[in-house]
Amino acid sequence: MTQTRFADSGPSLEYAPRTTLSDFGTVADPAAGGYLLGQINYTTAAADPTVSGTGSPVLDLHMTADPGDAFSELWITRDPVHSGTHDGVVFAHDGEYLLCAGRVPQARTYAAATEHAYLAALNVMRDLGYRHCYRMWNFVNQINAPNAEGLETYRDFCLGRANAFEKTGFGEDVMPAATGIGSLGGGIGFYFLSGRSARPTMIENPEQMSAYHYPRRYGPKAPKFARAAHLATAGSGHVYVSGTASITGHKTRYAGDIVRQTHVSLQNIARVIGATNLWEHGIPDGHFLSNLDHVKVYVRHAEHIPVVRQICTRAFSTAAEIRYLNVDICRSDLLVEIEGIAY
Ligand code: 3EB
């Protein structure tokens, strides 16, 4: 454990953006108050990010074949937002929080274009003064297929991301939580949630090797993310939990066994967010799986969704928003991956 106890994570903020996973086409409810920081559509086709007519970023991801399964992730913040576009990256910010979204079109190889798109987004963060990144999401088409040079697309993406991090001084002390997962089309879509004053606390899982230390056999440059990021807010903080799979140490566990992989994934999340681990990271708090909300469950084979749903329904609160997506996972032997936010 390298973290210092009771690390100074900066001021505790009064608020953080709220999120909801709403049926596709739902408009943010103005009665609930707040301003739309961004809308991510998990839908049937990908598109370049745009600024909507009402001035907030919209990113369409190709994440379902069935229009009936499409949903929108809305990010709603407290203060009025300003939005814009820079070098293909679309953003909105409210003085404390920034959401930015970008896309890398379908290509023969991805490292250079990923690096470019990431640098554009990291530059938006720097130029607008939102230096702290809490959470990154990455949706990669044909994630397990080789690129034109024979390198697996996920590893190709990881290479570009790592190069962008190296060029901008994103070291091992400031990794965000992340998801890197398959999509059904449209190259790579991504979005980041960042903040101005609150430095997150990076959280690792003692049962898992830090992803940024994975050995070389998983690709030329390691995936750059923390297992979770804690944001101190008034009341209970937020724990943004990275996509979590059936990995202990650096190895996939239970290749071919969806039931056991689901249990290991849940066990990993419980370990990451639990009081024992948060206290080790200087956070006097603790969560259970029943505190996880805005859950996304990524399942490689559609026929596994019923059994995964059965296990997850028992693990999570009946009040939690949970969405199931049938996409590939970043290692070809992984069958399931789960993310969420613990409050
Ligand atoms: C893992 O633990 C599973 O590359 O951004 C999970 C979360 C995974 C994020 C990423 C990858 C990423 O290695 C895969």
Side-chain angles (χ1 to χ4, degrees):
M1 192 64 40
T2 52
Q3 285 74 20
T4 40
R5 229 160 227 287
F6 300 110
D8 170 25
S9 57
S12 179
L13 294 190
E14 289 169 50
Y15 73 101
R18 297 184 275 118
T19 192
T20 65
L21 307 180
S22 309
D23 287 344
F24 187 55
T26 308
V27 195
D29 177 11
Y35 299 85
L36 193 58
L37 192 62
Q39 172 167 349
I40 314 300
N41 296 322
Y42 288 70
T43 184
T44 52
D48 287 337
T50 57
V51 178
S52 73
T54 52
S56 43
V58 179
L59 177 66
D60 287 3
L61 302 166
H62 191 171
M63 292 298 286
T64 173
D66 179 353
D69 289 337
F71 64 92
S72 295
E73 182 179 273
L74 304 178
W75 286 92
I76 299 153
T77 195
R78 192 188 66 181
D79 294 333
V81 304
H82 297 272
S83 57
T85 306
H86 169 76
D87 201 4
V89 170
V90 173
F91 59 86
H93 56 111
D94 79 334
E96 195 57 61
Y97 295 102
L98 168 80
L99 188 140
C100 59
R103 180 160 174 230
V104 180
Q106 190 93 42
R108 295 175 72 249
T109 64
Y110 281 104
T114 298
E115 179 184 330
H116 181 90
Y118 255 66
L119 286 174
L122 295 170
N123 286 340
V124 165
M125 284 171 48
R126 186 199 55 206
D127 293 349
L128 296 173
Y130 297 84
R131 290 167 183 277
H132 305 297
C133 189
Y134 312 123
R135 191 65 171 86
M136 296 180 167
W137 285 264
N138 305 282
F139 302 89
V140 181
N141 184 220
Q142 297 199 288
I143 191 166
N144 302 130
N147 72 8
E149 292 166 2
L151 182 66
E152 187 191 34
T153 300
Y154 173 64
R155 299 173 181 206
D156 192 9
F157 158 77
C158 283
L159 181 58
R161 171 173 58 181
N163 288 338
F165 273 35
E166 284 167 21
K167 287 193 177 159
T168 45
F170 254 78
E172 290 186 358
D173 50 336
V174 290
M175 295 285 158
T179 293
I181 199 79
S183 76
L184 303 182
I188 300 175
F190 65 87
Y191 61 103
F192 302 171
L193 177 69
S194 307
R196 185 184 293 282
S197 54
R199 184 147 48 91
T201 303
M202 296 169 53
I203 299 169
E204 291 301 313
N205 179 349
E207 309 299 330
Q208 295 187 288
M209 179 182 288
S210 293
Y212 47 86
H213 288 156
Y214 282 168
R216 176 71 228 222
R217 63 190 247 209
Y218 298 105
K221 287 200 181 172
K224 303 288 177 160
F225 66 96
R227 296 299 172 188
H230 175 261
L231 178 62
T233 51
S236 172
H238 288 44
V239 184
Y240 298 100
V241 180
S242 290
T244 304
S246 180
I247 295 172
T248 59
H250 58 76
K251 290 189 176 144
T252 299
R253 302 296 165 183
Y254 302 118
D257 186 333
I258 185 63
V259 169
R260 287 194 174 84
Q261 284 205 13
T262 306
H263 284 299
V264 175
S265 303
L266 291 170
Q267 227 166 58
N268 274 331
I269 294 177
R271 186 73 175 93
V272 165
I273 66 177
T276 303
N277 195 44
L278 294 192
W279 278 75
E280 285 294 334
H281 288 76
I283 300 157
D285 201 353
H287 299 284
F288 299 95
L289 292 177
S290 55
N291 300 115
L292 203 73
D293 203 349
H294 315 305
V295 179
K296 285 173 220 141
V297 183
Y298 305 98
V299 182
R300 180 183 292 276
H301 301 299
E303 64 270 25
H304 288 161
I305 290 181
V307 69
V308 173
R309 187 194 301 272
Q310 189 177 43
I311 296 166
C312 288
T313 301
R314 293 174 67 110
F316 298 125
S317 163
T318 52
E321 293 179 341
I322 311 175
R323 298 280 174 164
Y324 297 85
L325 295 151
N326 173 212
V327 290
D328 290 338
I329 319 290
C330 68
R331 287 185 190 177
S332 46
D333 54 6
L334 289 173
L335 300 171
V336 60
E337 186 173 304
I338 305 172
E339 62 167 68
I341 307 173
Y343 301 93

